Amino acid sequence: MTVAAMAGPGDWRHWMRRGAPLLGLGLAVLVLAWGSIVLPREAGHSAPLWPANAVVLAALLAPGTGRRRAMEFLAAGTLGNLAAALIGIHSPLVALTSTGFNTFEVALSAIALRRVIGPNLDLARVRHLLAFGLIAGVIAPLISGVLATGAIHLLTSPRPASNLLTWVAADGLGALIFTPLLLTLGDIRRQLAEKPVGAKGVLALSALILVCAGVYWIRAPLAFLIPLALLVTVFQLEMLGAVLGVLCVTVLAVALNLSHQGPLVNVPGGAVAQMLLAQVFLLSTVLISLPTAVVLTQRRRLQTSAAEQQRLAALAEDIAGIGYWRLEASDLSMTWSDGMFRIYGLTPGGPEVIAAGNNQIEPVALASIKAKAARALQTGEPFQEHFSLTRADGSVRQMEGRALCETDESGRVTAIVGTTMDITDQADAATAVARSEARFRALAATAPDIICESNLEGVYTYVSDACLEITGFTPEEMVGKDLYTLVHADDIEHVQTTCRALFQNREAPPKIYVEFRANRKDGGVVWLESRPVLSRDPATGRVIGFIDCARDITTRKALEAELEKARLAAIEAAEVKAAFLANMSHELRTPLTSVLGFTRLALDQPDLNPVSRDFIRKANNGGAALLATVNDILDFSKLEAGQVEIRPRPTETAGLIRDTLELFSQSAAAKGLTLTLSTKNLPPALEIDPDRLRQLLLNLVGNAVKFSEAGEVRVEAAWSRQKLKISVIDQGPGLSADQQSLLFLRFSQIDGSTTRRHGGTGLGLAICRGLVEAMGGSIGVKSALGRGARFHFEIPAAATAATQAVDEPDDAAVFPPGARVLVVDDHRVNRELVRAILGPLGADLTEAEDGVEAVAKAQTEAFDLILMDLRMPGLDGTGAMQAIRSGGGPNAATPILAFSADADSAGEARRRAMGFNGDILKPLVPASLIAIAAHHLTSRETADRAVA
């Protein structure tokens, strides 16, 4: 692969950017050097100019040319010069010699100019032009010419003096003419920006060309016109006109002279004299044009600079609000700058206006200024004065004046020069700051909290007066102390961590509140709440420390401690209450189990006489009423204790409502009431707790049936916006506003008299409100006396795909005869009740009166089912169940059902997680006991057959 193939487009562009100028320079030097050698020789002349060196020197002196680039330019120029010399000179040795000394001359000129002037050559400056003319036009050509002619004389030439003069003149003129031309054209944009070319400039340059052509063409003694035309061009175009004019003169002079035309053709002395005369003429044009251009450029720059300085001074006066004045010591005359007149609100004018302005100064201050000025004229001491003046428009301004003295060589004061500044805004700002600081200090002094400031080293720089009252330390005692001086030793690390976090997040500092203990001077401890923020420098925004506001929260902390004690006591009380509720549930429902169980069994006896059956039925109804009351009280207690758990699951809502209404069908029919249900937009299933919804409906529909004597009880159910809305509407006696205010309150009853018709605990609606709120909904009533009532509630209910299968016992399951059942209960009557229910079905029952006896029997005998009471003395039901499961006996996998008075599904779930297979609720319902027992016995038999 070639180098060209490996180089990318960017590499070629790079080489083109660096190589193209070098190639162009080499070719330009080749052409100029060859022309300077061959063309004069063919015309019988020596070269009047040597522009090749000037081109290389211009490249070396161009702005931005570094050392490495200069070496590249010098090498390219040398190669071009050598090629021209080899072509135009017959002796290779002479060609090499002349090329070497030309390169030496260019390098010497460039190095010397860099040393004398620096990297930025500006030919429009007098010093730079003089240095360039001496070094590039005289010294370097003279040195290189002496060395070159000496060397060439030794080689070939018999005329060293003539060669030396030709060399120095040609090289010097070439440098003086072409190097400024190239440098000026290279900086043409700046040149045109400083001095644009107008129509007069173009006309002057055109006139110069015509004059030169005419003088040389006519051959008349009119050469004196050329410098005049050149000066006109210089005056119009300055440096650009000078270099272009000299170029025009040079090109015409050289071209016509080489073609033996022009006014120099008839000069006696031959070609040498003509060439020398042409060189002198060209040198004179250079000496006339370039210095004149420099003077004109400098004058223009000085005028521009002076105007700019004057503009900037006036701008500075406007921005700073400063005016300048001068008082001459000789005649006490005063002059003002324009800024002084603006400050005083006067129109610029002479002494009369200035005197009027001084009279605007307050008299006392004016007398002081005059006295200080008189003393300054005698002693030369500077002075200053702060004063106010009333302007012509009536506004009062605050001023600050400063003055210095000018002296002559002998130290005598010649003038007083002063400035006056309008400091009204600064004075107002300072006054505002002082007022703000005073207000802040007053607020800080009266604030009940400690306000303090510290630097980044953690040292107090300010502490408010509240420190004394809160800590016993005075502010003076705290300023200069470490900010952790007050912090209790056990809280220092906490406070340090807080301050460190605040500083580390200084770009977006968080709001921080930190509580810590502080040491009082008397040895006591107080609690403080601190709110530290970062303090920043107003000018730079740099963080310079902390500002803090610390509040005494000792009383609050004491209250919090008391509240914490109260909270713990409340938690303990709630736990005691929960235990009490569980115990009450057991103690109340256990005897009710016997009452309701045996009365139901008695009612099932076929040979019972009507009177006895009626008595037993009434006893059963009374027990059922007592159970409803107990259930209400226990449910409400659970709601207050926060022990009710809502367990939503997919539920077929419409069917649940219909089933609940069906429960009241007989009681409603007995009173002549009609039960109706209307639904709207009910999805097939909703995500709700069916047990709690059923409990709500039982309460509300039960009340509607109980309080209505005729008409209709209607249930309306609708679903929208992810909410289930249910209303129970009756046509009963209605409620007044006072009666409605008693609803949903615990133990409240509309009719609390001893003659009220309807019983109840007054907890039903309170339980409803608690359940609805626990589900995230709301409940209410709309009613009026004689117009019935509308109870309504809504609860969140998301639509779901389908209902879940509920694990319920199969009522149709057949109780297997001969099943061995262990009944564990500390109440003998309950054991007898189970025997009375299951015995006739062929069950083989074994009894245990506590958990210890149950575990012992389970270790020795195999049972098909175990019924376990939960609350027993000694070892309770849960402990007995776990002992049987973990004992490895014959009943480790036997179904164990819990005798539970807790109807909460959450309680059942917990017991299932512990190891129970299900619940049998107290009071016992014979049908439910038989169905649940048969379900688990049948499931066990199926599992045993599958294993076998």
Side-chain angles (χ1 to χ4, degrees):
M1 183 179 290
T2 63
V3 174
M6 291 188 292
D11 299 323
W12 282 111
R13 285 194 294 269
H14 171 74
W15 286 111
M16 287 298 295
R17 283 196 302 269
R18 294 191 63 85
L22 297 177
L23 180 62
L25 177 65
L27 292 176
V29 171
L30 171 63
V31 172
L32 292 173
W34 177 81
S36 299
I37 295 172
V38 174
L39 295 179
R41 185 173 61 197
E42 291 180 354
H45 291 281
S46 297
L49 297 173
W50 187 258
N53 288 357
V55 174
V56 180
L57 182 59
L60 298 182
L61 296 179
T65 302
R67 179 176 299 180
R68 179 178 177 182
R69 192 62 170 168
M71 296 298 294
E72 293 174 352
F73 283 140
L74 192 63
T78 300
L79 291 176
N81 216 332
L82 178 60
L86 290 174
I87 295 172
I89 301 176
H90 298 296
S91 171
L93 189 58
V94 173
L96 287 172
T97 302
S98 62
T99 300
F101 284 110
N102 279 323
T103 301
F104 168 74
E105 177 184 327
V106 174
L108 178 63
S109 298
I111 294 172
L113 287 171
R114 294 284 188 184
R115 291 288 180 85
V116 173
I117 296 173
N120 299 317
L121 176 65
D122 185 3
L123 294 177
R125 299 174 62 181
V126 175
R127 176 173 170 271
H128 289 199
L129 182 62
L130 290 176
F132 174 79
L134 288 175
I135 293 172
V138 178
I139 298 175
L142 183 60
I143 294 174
S144 65
V146 169
L147 296 176
T149 53
I152 294 173
H153 173 71
L154 294 176
L155 294 175
T156 59
S157 176
R159 298 180 300 171
S162 175
N163 288 339
L164 173 62
L165 182 61
T166 302
W167 181 288
V168 173
D171 285 12
L173 279 176
L176 291 176
I177 294 174
F178 289 98
T179 300
L181 172 68
L182 295 174
L183 291 176
T184 301
L185 293 178
D187 196 25
I188 189 65
R189 288 186 179 180
R190 187 175 66 86
Q191 296 286 339
L192 293 176
E194 285 190 6
K195 182 67 176 178
V197 176
K200 292 182 178 179
V202 175
L203 183 60
L205 185 61
S206 302
L208 173 63
I209 295 172
L210 293 175
V211 168
C212 290
V215 168
Y216 281 101
W217 203 260
I218 298 174
R219 300 184 184 182
L222 299 175
F224 65 90
L225 295 177
I226 294 177
L228 295 177
L230 182 59
L231 286 176
V232 172
T233 304
V234 171
F235 270 91
Q236 290 298 323
L237 299 177
E238 296 181 357
M239 183 59 70
L240 182 61
V243 296
L244 291 177
V246 170
L247 177 64
C248 293
V249 173
T250 301
V251 170
L252 288 173
V254 171
L256 293 174
N257 194 40
L258 291 178
S259 60
H260 301 286
Q261 298 181 22
L264 299 180
V265 174
N266 300 322
V267 172
V272 175
Q274 294 175 9
M275 182 194 68
L276 289 176
L277 189 58
Q279 289 175 333
V280 170
F281 177 73
L282 293 177
L283 179 61
S284 66
T285 59
V286 171
L287 295 178
I288 290 173
S289 60
L290 290 182
T292 304
V294 169
V295 171
L296 293 174
T297 302
Q298 288 299 315
R299 186 184 68 174
R300 177 178 52 77
R301 288 180 178 178
L302 288 175
Q303 291 174 344
T304 303
S305 176
E308 181 65 14
Q309 291 296 327
Q310 186 175 1
R311 186 186 68 82
L312 291 177
L315 182 62
E317 282 188 333
D318 291 341
I319 294 175
I322 296 177
Y324 299 91
W325 55 268
R326 180 182 180 89
L327 178 66
E328 300 294 342
S330 59
D331 56 1
L332 299 181
S333 61
M334 177 175 282
T335 56
W336 279 8
S337 68
D338 291 342
M340 286 289 294
F341 290 103
R342 282 194 296 272
I343 290 174
Y344 278 66
L346 299 172
T347 303
E352 298 82 5
V353 178
I354 295 175
N358 287 332
N359 289 331
Q360 293 178 355
I361 302 174
E362 56 181 341
V364 176
L366 181 59
S368 176
I369 293 172
K370 289 181 177 180
K372 291 179 179 179
R375 186 166 58 252
L377 289 173
Q378 297 296 324
T379 63
E381 296 177 359
F383 64 91
Q384 63 183 44
E385 184 75 24
H386 178 86
F387 59 94
S388 62
L389 62 84
T390 303
R391 295 174 50 161
D393 57 5
S395 61
V396 178
R397 309 295 293 178
Q398 299 296 318
M399 302 290 173
E400 184 174 69
R402 298 175 181 271
L404 296 174
C405 295
E406 288 184 356
T407 59
D408 57 15
E409 294 80 0
S410 62
R412 184 173 59 87
V413 175
T414 59
I416 300 176
V417 180
T419 62
T420 300
M421 177 184 293
D422 187 341
I423 61 169
T424 305
D425 294 339
Q426 296 92 317
D428 292 344
T431 302
V433 169
R435 290 175 180 172
S436 176
E437 182 177 0
R439 185 163 52 250
F440 164 75
R441 292 191 177 275
L443 291 173
T446 57
D449 301 337
I450 301 175
I451 300 172
C452 55
E453 187 175 21
S454 61
N455 56 27
L456 288 178
E457 287 71 33
V459 176
Y460 284 116
T461 56
Y462 172 79
V463 179
S464 68
D465 295 343
C467 181
L468 176 62
E469 181 179 352
I470 294 176
T471 68
F473 292 97
T474 65
E476 292 75 17
E477 289 177 305
M478 295 308 302
V479 171
K481 296 289 185 62
D482 186 276
L483 63 86
Y484 300 110
T485 302
L486 290 176
V487 183
H488 192 278
D490 295 339
D491 295 339
I492 287 180
E493 184 177 355
H494 173 53
V495 176
Q496 287 177 336
T497 301
T498 301
C499 294
R500 192 179 302 114
L502 185 65
F503 185 77
Q504 289 174 349
N505 296 279
R506 56 187 176 274
E507 297 304 325
K511 292 183 178 179
I512 292 179
Y513 294 85
V514 56
E515 297 178 358
F516 61 92
R517 287 163 292 178
N519 301 309
R520 282 183 53 86
K521 190 175 184 179
D522 57 11
V525 175
V526 294
W527 274 96
L528 298 180
E529 181 187 66
S530 172
R531 288 165 287 177
V533 296
L534 296 175
S535 174
R536 298 181 182 272
D537 187 309
T540 64
R542 182 175 57 87
V543 176
I544 58 175
F546 297 92
I547 296 176
D548 199 359
C549 180
R551 174 169 297 176
D552 184 354
I553 59 169
T554 306
T555 303
R556 191 185 82 188
K557 295 297 288 187
L559 290 174
E560 288 178 355
E562 292 297 327
L563 287 174
E564 180 63 16
K565 290 180 182 179
R567 188 184 70 85
L568 295 175
I571 292 174
E572 184 178 356
E575 293 175 352
V576 171
K577 184 176 182 180
F580 172 76
L581 287 175
N583 187 59
M584 285 295 297
S585 176
H586 179 268
E587 294 300 327
L588 291 173
R589 285 174 171 163
T590 295
L592 284 173
T593 298
S594 301
V595 173
L596 294 176
F598 281 110
T599 54
R600 287 169 182 163
L601 289 176
L603 289 173
D604 291 338
Q605 298 300 317
D607 55 351
L608 195 64
N609 62 68
V611 176
S612 297
R613 183 179 299 280
D614 183 58
F615 290 162
I616 295 173
R617 180 180 57 79
K618 289 178 179 179
N620 185 266
N621 290 339
L626 178 60
L627 178 61
T629 301
V630 169
N631 286 339
D632 280 350
I633 295 173
L634 294 176
D635 284 346
F636 183 76
S637 299
K638 287 182 179 181
L639 281 169
E640 284 199 327
Q643 296 177 348
V644 173
E645 183 177 358
I646 306 300
R647 298 172 62 83
R649 59 182 183 269
T651 303
E652 201 276 293
T653 309
L656 185 147
I657 299 173
R658 279 192 295 271
D659 292 344
T660 305
L661 283 177
E662 183 65 25
L663 295 176
F664 296 96
S665 59
Q666 292 184 1
S667 57
K671 299 179 71 171
L673 297 175
T674 303
L675 299 179
T676 60
L677 170 65
S678 66
T679 61
K680 182 180 181 181
N681 298 330
L682 280 184
L686 293 175
E687 190 77 12
I688 57 174
D689 187 333
D691 298 328
R692 299 307 177 191
L693 179 59
R694 185 182 294 110
Q695 189 174 359
L696 287 169
L697 292 171
L698 286 173
N699 272 292
L700 296 178
V701 176
N703 283 345
V705 172
K706 180 168 63 174
F707 289 102
S708 297
E709 299 299 332
E712 178 188 36
V713 173
R714 186 170 75 258
V715 177
E716 296 178 352
W719 182 81
S720 65
R721 297 181 181 179
Q722 304 297 312
K723 288 187 177 182
L724 173 63
K725 302 177 181 180
I726 294 181
S727 298
V728 178
I729 307 163
D730 64 59
Q731 296 176 352
L735 300 167
S736 67
D738 292 338
Q739 290 173 330
Q740 292 179 41
S741 65
L742 297 176
L743 296 177
F744 307 113
L745 300 178
R746 59 182 181 176
F747 306 114
S748 66
Q749 295 171 328
I750 301 303
D751 183 6
S753 68
T754 58
T755 60
R756 63 193 180 98
R757 298 175 55 195
H758 306 288
T761 61
L763 292 175
L765 291 179
I767 292 173
C768 288
R769 186 183 69 175
L771 291 175
V772 169
E773 291 177 352
M775 289 187 283
S778 60
I779 188 169
V781 62
K782 292 182 179 179
S783 180
L785 282 175
R787 302 183 63 179
R790 179 189 187 99
F791 287 85
H792 57 87
F793 67 88
E794 65 175 26
I795 56 174
T800 185
T803 59
Q804 292 180 341
V806 180
D807 185 14
E808 295 181 350
D810 184 5
D811 294 339
V814 178
F815 193 91
R820 292 180 52 80
V821 179
L822 174 61
V823 182
V824 185
D825 199 308
D826 59 330
H827 288 269
R828 180 179 57 82
V829 178
N830 286 342
R831 299 197 302 272
E832 291 178 356
L833 179 59
V834 174
R835 183 176 293 278
I837 296 172
L838 299 183
L841 299 177
D844 183 5
L845 281 89
T846 300
E847 297 181 16
E849 64 179 6
D850 58 29
V852 175
E853 184 181 356
V855 173
K857 290 186 177 182
Q859 293 296 327
T860 58
E861 301 180 52
F863 298 100
D864 299 310
L865 184 67
I866 298 175
L867 305 181
M868 183 74 70
D869 187 20
L870 293 179
R871 289 184 174 271
M872 294 180 293
L875 183 64
D876 64 5
T878 302
M881 179 273 297
Q882 292 174 342
I884 293 172
R885 294 285 191 223
S886 61
N891 298 290
T894 298
I896 301 177
L897 304 179
F899 268 162
S900 173
D902 185 2
D904 189 358
S905 58
E908 181 182 358
R910 287 194 299 271
R911 287 186 287 275
R912 284 181 179 271
M914 292 177 184
F916 286 101
N917 296 92
D919 276 10
I920 296 178
L921 297 179
K922 294 179 180 179
L924 288 176
V925 178
S928 177
L929 172 60
I930 294 171
I932 294 173
H935 169 74
H936 286 283
L937 286 171
T938 305
S939 300
R940 175 117 191 244
E941 286 182 359
T942 303
D944 291 343
R945 285 195 297 269
V947 172

